[in-house]
Amino acid sequence: MKQPIKVLMVDDEKRFRETTRKILERNGFQTILAENGAEAIKCLDQSPDVAILDIRMPGMDGHEVLEKIIKLQPDLPVIMLTGHGDKDSAEQALVLGAFDYLAKPCDIDLLSDKIREACRSKQQTGKPEEDLVGSAMIPLSAYTTIDEDATIAESVQELKASFVTLPTSDLIMETGHRSILVMDKKKQIKGILTICDLLERILPAYLTSTKPAMADSIQYSPMFWRGMFTSAVEQIRDLTISEVMSPVPVSIDAESTLMEAAWIMVDQNQRRLIVTEDGKPAGVIREQDLFFEMGKHLIPPRLR
């Protein structure tokens, strides 16, 4: 006899939990109930086939529970339940690795179909194996660094030196990091200097300030711009990096997925992230590293 699909139902609302249990069991499912995230983690020992997880719960919210489930049982499909107006939060859950999401209260037939679909997906393919952030990052020891007291002239020389052809592996072909990690006396990351930081610094402040309307025609004439670049570069050559650098980039754990890195870069407008291991900086992952990872999966298998 075919075993019923075992569903882990996690919701802090007792009435909703019990009502859903009764309906699911009438539809042929076996249910495991949990009223919070901590209880849900314990219930993983009962080997559920699919988990249904409410996003808004006291204590650990649905996103936190989802992340723990993915680490403990990465092949377990998770369907998120969201209240009205929580679409953004639900879409974030998809990025974190949820199978799908439904709005509460949800149609029981739709929920039943989604449970069966999730179970079929698990049986047929499971989750595809992917590299994690730690395997795609540039190790800290291989990234260009410079002391915070160094001058802009020195930093430009360091950046230029990084634009030599680097050893390549797989399909990655990259030259230069386009940025320098700025370190303090204790060798801790103090900030980051990018090419964009240098370009922003040489722009005269009056270019973006309020000006008379007739000044537009003067500003955009060839004579206006002539000689500005050279003189501006000369003026910043002896500034220290700490006067120009950007703050330390956002951090991400080495065990995180590449999709998490992509989400943070897009959501927080970051071009590179500091990768940490055991809470300590271990490397840098850049937008171009994710680009090359995309390329690996777009090449036909016969050409890999």
Side-chain angles (χ1 to χ4, degrees):
M1 181 178 177
K2 186 177 180 181
Q3 293 294 319
I5 295 174
K6 192 183 297 185
V7 180
L8 171 59
M9 179 75 199
V10 188
D11 196 293
D12 63 304
E13 297 177 32
K14 183 177 180 180
R15 184 175 179 182
F16 178 85
R17 198 168 59 240
E18 288 293 336
T19 300
T20 305
R21 177 188 64 81
K22 292 177 182 177
I23 298 174
L24 287 176
E25 289 182 351
R26 282 203 299 266
N27 280 266
F29 300 103
Q30 182 179 342
T31 57
I32 306 167
L33 299 183
E35 63 179 347
N36 54 52
E39 191 174 329
I41 300 303
K42 294 179 181 178
C43 290
L44 294 179
D45 291 341
Q46 299 182 48
S47 302
D49 299 304
V50 178
I52 300 173
L53 179 60
D54 189 21
I55 289 182
R56 292 189 177 274
M57 294 187 296
M60 281 194 294
D61 67 12
H63 290 146
E64 294 176 275
V65 181
L66 173 63
E67 289 179 334
K68 289 183 179 295
I69 288 177
I70 289 173
K71 286 183 179 180
L72 294 171
Q73 292 195 15
D75 292 334
L76 178 63
V78 180
I79 300 170
M80 307 297 289
L81 295 181
T82 175
H84 179 71
D86 272 348
K87 184 179 179 181
D88 289 345
S89 183
E91 290 179 344
Q92 184 182 353
L94 295 182
V95 173
L96 293 175
F99 176 78
D100 208 342
Y101 70 89
L102 294 172
K104 292 172 61 177
C106 54
D107 180 85
I108 195 62
D109 290 330
L110 177 60
L111 178 60
S112 298
D113 288 343
K114 194 62 64 176
I115 292 170
R116 295 187 184 97
E117 181 183 342
C119 193
R120 284 195 301 270
S121 174
K122 174 185 175 182
Q123 292 169 346
Q124 291 171 359
T125 60
K127 293 279 186 181
E129 288 295 324
E130 287 186 343
D131 291 335
L132 298 178
V133 166
S135 64
M137 73 178 186
I138 297 174
L140 206 59
S141 59
Y143 210 87
T144 306
T145 62
I146 197 167
D147 187 82
E148 62 180 321
D149 294 328
T151 65
I152 295 301
E154 292 170 325
S155 72
V156 169
Q157 291 303 313
E158 288 293 328
L159 264 176
K160 285 173 63 178
S162 79
F163 276 76
V164 296
T165 302
L166 302 176
T168 61
S169 61
D170 285 338
L171 304 174
I172 297 181
M173 183 75 66
E174 174 62 293
T175 57
H177 298 150
R178 295 177 174 82
S179 63
I180 302 178
L181 291 177
V182 183
M183 315 297 282
D184 62 17
K185 301 299 182 184
K186 297 180 180 180
K187 300 302 179 183
Q188 299 298 309
I189 302 174
K190 184 80 177 287
I192 190 166
L193 181 74
T194 69
I195 294 175
C196 188
D197 291 326
L198 296 172
L199 295 179
E200 288 179 355
R201 186 65 189 212
I202 66 172
L203 293 178
Y206 60 77
L207 285 179
T208 55
S209 62
T210 304
K211 54 188 179 296
M214 67 180 298
D216 283 339
S217 60
I218 299 174
Q219 177 176 321
Y220 296 112
S221 68
M223 289 297 294
F224 176 83
W225 298 105
R226 191 165 298 166
M228 289 179 64
F229 185 86
T230 302
S231 61
V233 171
E234 286 294 329
Q235 289 174 21
I236 70 167
R237 64 174 294 118
D238 295 325
L239 294 178
T240 59
I241 290 181
S242 58
E243 298 178 74
V244 182
M245 68 184 184
S246 294
V248 180
V250 174
S251 296
I252 187 170
D253 190 86
E255 293 298 309
S256 300
T257 66
L258 297 179
M259 185 61 84
E260 291 175 78
W263 164 256
I264 294 173
M265 286 184 185
V266 173
D267 184 59
Q268 301 190 36
N269 194 28
Q270 299 280 317
R271 300 189 67 178
R272 54 189 66 79
L273 306 173
I274 300 296
V275 182
T276 60
E277 290 179 345
D278 299 322
K280 298 179 181 179
V284 178
I285 187 166
R286 311 158 301 166
E287 60 181 1
Q288 56 262 48
D289 299 319
L290 293 184
F291 170 75
F292 287 119
E293 289 293 325
M294 290 173 63
K296 285 164 58 176
H297 296 284
L298 290 173
I299 293 176
R302 68 180 183 279
L303 299 179
R304 290 179 186 172

